[in-house]
Amino acid sequence: MGLIARYQERLPFAPGDPVVSLEEGSTPLVLAERVSERAGTEVWLKLEGANPTGSFKDRGMTCAVSAAVREGAEAVICASTGNTAASAAAYAARAGLTGAVIVPEGKIATGKLAQALMHGAKVIALRGNFDQALKLVRELAERHPIALVNSVNPFRLEGQKTAAFEVLDALGELDALCIPVGNAGNVTAYWKGFREMDSRPRLFGFQAEGSAPLVHGAPVEHPETIASAIRIGNPARWEEAMEAFTGSHGGVAAVSDAQILDAYRFLAANEGVFCEPASAASVAGLLAHGARDAERVVCVLTGHGLKDPQTALSQAGAVVPCEPDIAAVERAVLA
Ligand SMILES: *Cc1c(COP(=O)(O)O)cnc(C)c1O
């Protein structure tokens, strides 16, 4: 069952409204024993890469695109570091709408680009960064009858808050939630979801060192990090995110690319969980900064590792070449 059907009474949709769904949500929440050992506390992983297009963006997109159809929109548009583009393209295709996505040229992971193109979206590579792309699509959506499906769209947050419901359904209670922060829509959505359920876990947001505007308290003009999904210098949900950190008695901190990649490899090799680099920032942050005295922590792994095969191959061991005879295979396997 999709999110809108499952949580209709908590979402701004009425029975009979058009619903565009790929049965997103209901993602696994798994206990991470090795991470728990390293962190010295009980750690659970929310595997958002298990959504239909491989990231949590689908939670928001089912709501944003359903609302766009209800409003009679014929096209949807977004600026994206990759996953919003992939998700918008898929849901637009499913709804029979035209999709256009603006991405920073050369700065999005291969899998995400392949998705957006395969789903038939018009993919526009901007000679600029995400922040410039977002500014331009906001202007475009004001001038034309095109639905903007970035997380500045309130329906996106409504959909994404359901992840908090799922975490509470599964665990009952938790002390802290660790989450990567880019445009800061997702942390805002979790906080909304938790508050609607009268729950107040501490929210710890993590940004990449080279693009950590919330940590520094000022926009970053040229954000840089290997974690392309969070390469954002001027988050649209700045104030709300800060409110979530303060209101929950959590905080926001930075992690280096080296720490992100360490967590990324550790999760794959020791937990069997392959997430994308940006997602690993949640675990990297927990390992580097802790979650104070939290006894039960959930780390949100926002997207699937297959999104970014290039980074994976640059971080993993090499393949073993082998002649097709038994002695050679024996040597290769047993060495
Ligand atoms: C979009 C995204 C983020 C950042 O979420 P925000 O809502 O922009 O803070 C983190 N990780 C992945 C994989 C994403 O796609």
Side-chain angles (χ1 to χ4, degrees), residues 11-309:
L11 292 172
F13 293 93
D17 280 353
V19 170
V20 184
S21 171
L22 289 162
E23 306 222 346
E24 54 295 309
S26 306
T27 56
L29 180 69
V30 299
L31 182 64
E33 292 186 17
R34 313 286 143 50
V35 177
S36 298
E37 262 168 45
R38 268 184 82 177
T41 185
E42 183 185 307
V43 181
W44 295 77
L45 306 173
K46 182 68 171 158
L47 306 186
E48 289 293 280
N51 276 296
T53 78
S55 85
F56 74 83
K57 299 298 198 300
D58 295 344
R59 292 182 185 274
M61 211 53 76
T62 183
C63 291
V65 173
S66 296
V69 169
R70 186 170 62 188
E71 288 153 18
E74 285 171 10
V76 300
I77 193 165
C78 65
S80 177
T81 59
N83 280 331
T84 302
S87 186
Y91 283 81
R94 190 148 179 91
L97 302 180
T98 305
V101 303
I102 304 194
V103 299
E105 187 179 40
K107 297 285 190 185
I108 84 164
T110 317
K112 304 174 188 180
L113 186 61
Q115 288 177 289
L117 290 168
M118 279 300 291
H119 290 305
K122 181 172 278 184
V123 179
I124 297 147
L126 190 76
R127 296 195 184 98
N129 62 29
F130 171 84
D131 303 287
Q132 293 168 308
L134 182 58
K135 193 160 170 275
L136 289 166
V137 292
R138 291 178 92 150
E139 211 174 303
L140 202 74
E142 267 168 33
R143 292 188 190 186
H144 303 275
I146 306 175
L148 179 63
V149 296
N150 277 105
S151 59
V152 295
N153 178 326
F155 288 100
R156 280 278 308 277
L157 300 200
E158 288 295 317
Q160 287 169 214
K161 77 183 181 188
T162 60
F165 300 164
E166 289 179 17
V167 166
L168 289 171
D169 276 350
L171 292 182
E173 265 311 325
L174 66 156
D175 302 308
L177 182 111
C178 297
I179 185 170
V181 177
N183 216 19
N186 210 28
V187 68
T188 302
Y190 270 90
W191 185 228
K192 186 170 200 291
F194 283 127
R195 272 177 311 156
E196 287 183 13
M197 302 299 280
D198 287 321
S199 175
R200 289 172 181 271
R202 291 197 286 284
L203 300 191
F204 292 101
F206 297 105
Q207 302 201 287
E209 225 167 55
S211 54
L214 300 181
V215 180
H216 303 311
V220 174
E221 203 179 334
H222 301 291
E224 266 314 327
T225 168
I226 184 116
S228 56
I230 52 172
R231 191 188 280 136
I232 292 176
N234 192 10
R237 297 279 183 178
W238 189 304
E239 257 87 54
E240 288 125 302
M242 293 316 289
E243 238 170 70
F245 299 134
T246 318
S248 71
H249 305 286
V252 60
V255 284
S256 68
D257 279 7
Q259 289 170 323
I260 288 172
L261 290 174
D262 172 67
Y264 171 67
R265 287 186 304 258
F266 187 85
L267 286 165
N270 297 286
E271 297 288 1
V273 173
F274 187 23
C275 65
E276 62 175 287
S279 309
S282 59
V283 171
L286 174 64
L287 294 176
H289 300 283
R292 273 174 244 145
D293 49 356
E295 283 172 16
R296 177 181 281 169
V297 181
V298 171
C299 291
V300 183
L301 297 184
T302 43
H304 202 288
L306 288 171
K307 293 272 190 176
D308 189 354

